[in-house]
Amino acid sequence: MQRIYFNNAAAAYPLAPGVLEAVTQSLQSYPQIPGREASDASDSLEQCRKNMARLLSVSACQTAFTSGATYGLNTAILGLGLKQEDLVIATVMEHNSVLRPLACLEDLYRVRVEHVPLEQDIQLDENVYDKLLAQRPRLVIMTHASNVTGRINPVRLWFQKAKSVGAATLLDASQTVGRIPVKPDELYADMLAFPGHKGLRGPMGTGVLYVSPAIQLNPTFVGGTGVKGDVRRQPEDMPTRLEAGTPNTPAFAGLNAAVLHYMEHM
């Protein structure tokens, strides 16, 4: 019986051409431990970082690798240093990868979280959003496209408004990177998170968090980095600041193949 796969909002299938070969080659090669080897040890990881930065038109050093969008969104939300009575604006269209970290902030630190509702035409209510902006939020979070309906939100306009009142902006681009052009600067996004296994058709367990140079996140996960081992705290420089532990280099080798394939055919 022929099987037909429809759940591309959760994980794309089939993988992009070249992904399987890149992962296999990496696994069959000597282990690459970034920061702990000579010149070419982190080649595949850094090539992936450079190509990902090229795709987004951002600086490679501001592009941190994660295990997926969930990890990236948590890092952005929990690392911003929000405190009691700070206001965060999100929408009712957000994924649990946004809603649950926000719930943690509400419970632990009494951060205020407001969700923009939908109007009868299933559009986000801009009047409610404008009223909330008047309260000068610290952070505005929006999903670029719904994982349920596929509707693309007016991110550029809404984030531009958010910036005008001094808010930081976080874009969940899980459903759009690899499917439509996504440029953080053009969308007024200070931070952007997405996985490698959806629109780009790369391996599961890979993701990216872009952070503007204007934002300095507190690390939410610390440990080995392979560099500056004599420093007591997590190194300050990006992307090492947000990348603790040994990365899944074979998976990112596969993601690099996926990004290259996408850019060649976009």
Side-chain angles (χ1 to χ4, degrees):
M1 183 173 113
Q2 183 180 11
R3 298 179 64 186
I4 300 175
Y5 183 81
F6 286 111
N7 198 16
N8 286 284
Y13 180 84
L15 298 181
V19 170
L20 181 59
E21 293 81 358
V23 172
T24 301
Q25 181 179 351
S26 179
L27 287 170
Q28 291 176 335
S29 302
Y30 287 111
Q32 296 182 7
I33 312 296
R36 298 172 178 85
E37 303 286 348
S39 58
D40 296 332
S42 59
D43 227 29
S44 60
L45 198 73
E46 293 312 310
Q47 282 301 313
C48 184
R49 196 188 310 279
K50 290 176 183 177
N51 287 322
M52 195 64 74
R54 186 157 61 96
L55 174 67
L56 301 174
S57 298
V58 297
S59 169
C61 67
Q62 297 302 128
T63 307
F65 286 140
T66 68
S67 62
T70 298
Y71 192 104
L73 291 166
N74 271 263
T75 300
I77 293 169
L78 302 178
L80 199 57
L82 297 169
K83 59 186 184 300
Q84 185 172 345
E85 294 305 314
D86 281 343
L87 173 62
V88 178
I89 301 176
T91 80
V92 295
M93 298 174 70
E94 304 310 315
H95 189 272
N96 275 336
S97 297
V98 168
L99 298 177
R100 286 174 175 164
L102 290 179
C104 287
L105 289 179
E106 287 181 294
D107 294 344
L108 294 174
Y109 303 112
R110 304 292 179 89
V111 170
R112 292 178 55 213
V113 179
E114 298 286 348
H115 298 92
V116 178
L118 297 175
E119 297 184 286
Q120 288 187 349
D121 61 358
I122 320 299
Q123 299 277 5
L124 289 168
D125 193 324
E126 190 169 3
N127 289 327
V128 171
Y129 179 63
D130 288 342
K131 290 177 182 178
L132 289 171
L133 284 180
Q135 300 178 42
R136 304 192 70 83
R138 281 280 313 278
L139 175 64
V140 172
I141 307 172
M142 181 179 286
T143 183
H144 202 177
S146 169
N147 67 311
V148 177
T149 68
R151 180 185 292 277
I152 297 176
N153 286 320
V155 170
R156 188 176 191 277
L157 173 62
W158 283 39
F159 276 4
Q160 187 176 24
K161 287 184 176 183
K163 299 297 294 175
S164 72
V165 298
T169 54
L170 169 60
L171 180 65
D172 178 0
S174 295
Q175 300 298 334
T176 50
V177 171
R179 295 187 170 111
I180 63 174
V182 179
K183 311 290 185 185
D185 287 350
E186 294 178 5
L187 296 173
Y188 296 94
D190 291 316
M191 298 173 285
L192 178 148
F194 60 93
H197 70 278
K198 295 189 179 185
L200 291 171
R201 297 195 291 153
M204 291 183 181
T206 60
V208 171
L209 174 63
Y210 163 75
V211 183
S212 163
I215 302 287
Q216 189 174 49
L217 295 176
N218 298 316
T220 57
F221 189 78
V222 298
T225 55
V227 296
K228 299 185 178 179
D230 58 331
V231 177
R232 180 170 175 265
R233 300 186 183 276
Q234 194 74 4
E236 293 288 325
D237 52 302
M238 283 283 290
T240 310
R241 181 179 181 84
L242 303 180
E243 292 183 351
T246 303
N248 189 349
T249 306
F252 283 104
L255 181 58
N256 186 46
V259 174
L260 287 173
H261 178 268
Y262 174 73
M263 289 194 293
E264 289 169 3
H265 296 86
M266 61 190 295

